[in-house]
Amino acid sequence: MDKASKQYIPLYLAFLRLGAFTFGGGLAMLPLLRQEIVERNHWVEEEELIDMYALAQCAPGIIAVNTSTYVGYRIAGVGGAFAAVLGQITSPMCVITIIAALFQHITDSVLFQHALAGIGAMVCVLLSNTVWTMGKKSIRDRFTVLVFIAAFAAGMLLHLPILLLTLCGGAAGIAFAGMTGRWRA
C-alpha cells in the first residue's frame, strides 16, 4: 500500500464528520473544515486552505463537494479526491433521505423549528469565529485592507455575486503585484 492510499480512510472519515455536522451550506463548512484539515490532521496550512476554498467557490457546483475534491486530491491524488467526496456526501444523503421520508411530520413540529433556530444561531457564531481567525491571516497590509473594504461594500450594497467579487479580488492582487513589482515565487 503506497503512502497516498493510506490516506483514503482518514480522508473519508474526516469528510464524513464534516458532512455530518455542517449545516447551512458551503460557508458554514469553513469553520469545521479549518478545524479538521488544518488543526486536527495538519494536511495543509491555513493560507493554503483559504486558497482552496476560494477556488472551490469559483468552480461550478456545490462548494462543499468542490472543496472536498480539491483537498482530497491535494492529499492523496485522484483516489483521495474520491474518498473525500464520498465522505462529504454520505451523511447528508442519509439525513436528507430520512427527512424526505418524514418531511410532513417533522416540519410541523415545534421542536424541529426550535432546533433549526438554534442550529442557525450556532452557524453564525462559527462563521464569525472563522472570519476573525482567517481574516487575521488574509488581511495583512494596506492593500488587502482596501480589497476587503471594497469587496465588503460591493457585496453588501450592490449585491454582487461572490464569484465576481472573488475574480475581481484576484485581478486586483495581480495588478497590484505587477504595479509594485512584488512578484513572489
Side-chain angles (χ1 to χ4, degrees), residues 4-27:
S5 61
K6 289 182 182 179
Q7 292 294 330
Y8 296 163
I9 292 174
L11 276 165
Y12 175 81
L13 293 174
F15 281 94
L16 181 68
R17 281 189 293 275
L18 285 167
F21 296 109
T22 300
F23 296 91
L27 284 175

Side-chain angles (χ1 to χ4, degrees), residues 3-82:
K3 184 178 178 181
S5 61
K6 289 182 182 179
Q7 292 294 330
Y8 296 163
I9 292 174
L11 276 165
Y12 175 81
L13 293 174
F15 281 94
L16 181 68
R17 281 189 293 275
L18 285 167
F21 296 109
T22 300
F23 296 91
L27 284 175
M29 166 189 200
L30 197 51
L32 297 174
L33 183 68
R34 183 179 159 275
Q35 180 182 14
E36 189 72 42
I37 304 306
V38 175
E39 294 176 6
R40 177 183 281 173
N41 290 299
H42 308 286
W43 284 327
V44 299
E45 296 296 320
E46 190 163 13
E47 291 80 10
E48 188 176 7
L49 179 63
I50 293 168
D51 294 342
M52 289 177 173
Y53 193 80
L55 287 173
Q57 282 189 313
C58 293
I62 301 167
I63 295 171
V65 172
N66 293 347
T67 305
S68 61
T69 303
Y70 194 174
V71 172
Y73 185 82
R74 164 71 170 72
I75 305 309
V78 173
F82 279 113

Side-chain angles (χ1 to χ4, degrees), residues 99 103 105-119:
I99 289 174
F103 186 71
H105 303 293
I106 291 177
T107 56
D108 294 334
S109 165
V110 173
L111 289 176
F112 183 73
Q113 296 301 320
H114 288 295
L116 286 179
I119 290 169

Side-chain angles (χ1 to χ4, degrees), residues 71-151:
V71 172
Y73 185 82
R74 164 71 170 72
I75 305 309
V78 173
F82 279 113
V85 169
L86 186 59
Q88 179 66 45
I89 65 172
T90 299
S91 294
M93 284 179 52
C94 293
V95 169
I96 201 69
T97 300
I98 292 168
I99 289 174
L102 303 172
F103 186 71
Q104 290 182 336
H105 303 293
I106 291 177
T107 56
D108 294 334
S109 165
V110 173
L111 289 176
F112 183 73
Q113 296 301 320
H114 288 295
L116 286 179
I119 290 169
M122 289 309 302
V123 166
C124 291
V125 170
L126 291 171
L127 283 171
S128 298
N129 182 315
T130 301
V131 166
W132 178 257
T133 302
M134 294 177 90
K136 289 189 292 187
K137 294 187 184 227
S138 297
I139 303 170
R140 54 186 178 269
D141 55 24
R142 289 182 186 151
F143 171 72
T144 53
V145 168
L146 182 64
V147 170
F148 169 80
I149 292 169

Side-chain angles (χ1 to χ4, degrees), residues 57-59 161-168:
Q57 282 189 313
C58 293
I162 291 173
L163 175 60
L164 179 61
L165 293 172
T166 304
L167 293 174
C168 288

